[in-house]
Amino acid sequence: ESPVAVRYQTSAKLFEAEMTGQGCVQHPQTHGRLFWDILGLLLLLYDVIMVPLTAFQVTNRVMSWLTCLYWTFDMAASCNTGFYSAGKLEMRRKKIMLNYVRTWLWLDLLVTPAEWCLLLILPNSRYTDS
């Protein structure tokens, strides 16, 4: 195909996505999504190390807030990121939401509110300055 035809098809698909409300769906392989996922991996490793240490009152208030905020925003990001199904890219919001409900939503709803409750209930004296 000629570059003009490809550009027209791309523009038409973008216009269709905007008209159907799919314009905010992020492709799962963008640099931004890669950065977001790497940040999530680092915060997950932080949680794996630090959560057991809360029994010894070793916590960091700033990092606790950052991890809670990240996981909360990650729930929204998961609702707005396409995924691959049987090798095909799925960018329709309804399909994305159904996939999220079938996969990670339940774990997110179990862990994230509990993290917020612990963060808001724990007395400030349990936090370190570092």
Side-chain angles (χ1 to χ4, degrees):
E1 290 182 37
S2 73
V4 174
V6 171
R7 190 175 308 125
Y8 173 76
Q9 288 176 346
T10 303
S11 297
K13 287 180 180 179
L14 179 60
F15 177 75
E16 179 185 346
E18 289 172 353
M19 294 305 292
T20 58
Q22 307 300 322
C24 293
V25 174
Q26 183 179 23
H27 192 284
Q29 293 181 325
T30 62
H31 291 293
R33 186 62 199 196
L34 177 63
F35 172 78
W36 186 256
D37 289 341
I38 290 171
L39 180 61
L41 178 63
L42 294 173
L43 290 172
L44 182 61
L45 290 173
Y46 174 83
D47 278 345
V48 165
I49 294 167
M50 294 304 294
V51 167
L53 293 177
T54 58
F56 303 104
Q57 298 184 355
V58 177
T59 57
N60 180 300
R61 188 163 185 76
V62 173
M63 284 303 294
S64 295
W65 275 95
L66 287 175
T67 57
C68 277
L69 287 170
Y70 175 86
W71 296 118
T72 301
F73 285 116
D74 187 60
M75 291 174 71
S78 295
C79 296
N80 292 295
T81 303
F83 67 98
Y84 286 94
S85 176
K88 293 187 178 183
L89 179 62
E90 182 60 67
M91 296 290 282
R92 291 176 288 182
R93 189 174 308 279
K94 183 176 180 181
K95 297 283 187 176
I96 292 168
M97 294 296 290
L98 289 173
N99 183 63
Y100 182 49
V101 167
R102 285 191 301 261
T103 56
W104 291 102
L105 176 67
W106 306 109
L107 180 64
D108 288 345
L109 288 177
L110 179 70
V111 174
T112 306
E115 286 280 333
W116 278 108
C117 288
L118 289 173
L119 181 66
L120 297 173
I121 292 172
L122 287 176
N124 290 338
S125 62
R126 294 188 67 178
Y127 292 101
T128 62
D129 293 330
S130 57

